[in-house]
Amino acid sequence: MSDTYATRAALHEQFVDGYGTVRVLPLDARLDGPVIHGWVNADRAAFWGMRDLAEDQVGAIYAHMETLDTHHAHLLVKDGEPVALLQTYEPAADRVGACYPVEPGDIGVHLLMAPAGPGGGSPGWTTALLGAAASYVLLGLDRDRVVVDPDVRNERAIARFHRQGFTPGPVVVLPEVDLPDVHLPEKRAQLAFLARETVFPDRVQGPAGPEGAVAETDH
């Protein structure tokens, strides 16, 4: 494991047979900013909405997120290498909360996968990573349901969520957000939901734990 990440405390750690060890780290805007900037500026991340931002602008966005109680950013690391950006948020405190009836136990998720290395990802790679992320969000954070809101044009992400067991919801229009620290344009999104009983039927009443408890899942 790279020393860069090995010494950082994980919120969640899980060994996935045939895949490797996944650790969920709190995102450090200063340390991880350059890596995240490289991911969000790639053509494949067009729907993330940060392709035109400079490295310091991306860092400022995640530094602001570190001050929030309702939105959190995480770095997913597999065997010492960063592989995904995971953002979680309270739907009632986000623009998606105006677009569907939020239920107690809901948690919103955005997931950006890192570019595959030489030769591309191996079969089952994405499924294994999503499964580890789901474990952290639904069991580690003791949530009942995940909501995602990919852009309706992002057919690849929508198909990936459906393969993972998400139930399609309505197509909605997320309102524009224009604040001093962040600007989000209006977005037509396909909502989808993943209930805990769908993937963990024997853990419907999971262990309670606040964000930050160690336990053990594209936009």
Side-chain angles (χ1 to χ4, degrees), residues 23-183:
R23 304 177 75 234
V24 180
L25 310 180
L27 185 76
D28 186 309
R30 182 180 61 83
L31 295 177
D32 304 323
V35 171
I36 300 304
H37 177 258
W39 294 353
V40 301
N41 266 243
D43 290 344
R44 61 188 298 278
F47 294 112
W48 200 258
M50 293 186 180
R51 285 180 64 197
D52 297 326
L53 299 185
E55 185 176 312
D56 61 338
Q57 292 175 302
V58 172
I61 288 173
Y62 287 102
H64 170 71
M65 192 176 296
E66 290 175 350
T67 69
L68 303 179
D69 295 327
T70 56
H71 294 64
H72 303 274
H74 313 80
L75 188 69
L76 271 58
V77 176
K78 171 191 174 293
D79 296 335
E81 295 299 326
V83 291
L85 168 63
L86 172 69
Q87 294 177 197
T88 60
Y89 62 91
E90 300 298 334
D94 190 86
R95 61 179 179 167
V96 75
C99 299
Y100 86 100
V102 179
E103 298 181 2
D106 281 358
I107 186 168
V109 163
H110 299 308
L111 183 66
L112 178 66
M113 311 286 284
S122 58
W125 193 92
T126 299
T127 297
L129 185 59
L130 283 171
S135 294
Y136 167 62
V137 173
L138 291 170
L139 299 182
L141 301 183
D142 190 27
R143 295 305 184 107
D144 297 324
R145 188 172 66 160
V146 171
V147 56
V148 294
D149 59 2
D151 191 293
V152 292
R153 298 167 296 173
N154 195 349
E155 297 177 355
R156 185 175 180 179
I158 293 171
R160 183 184 300 133
F161 285 129
H162 291 175
R163 288 195 302 270
Q164 200 72 17
F166 281 75
T167 300
V171 173
V172 301
V173 177
L174 303 183
E176 178 185 29
V177 174
D178 193 5
L179 301 173
D181 296 299
V182 62
H183 174 261

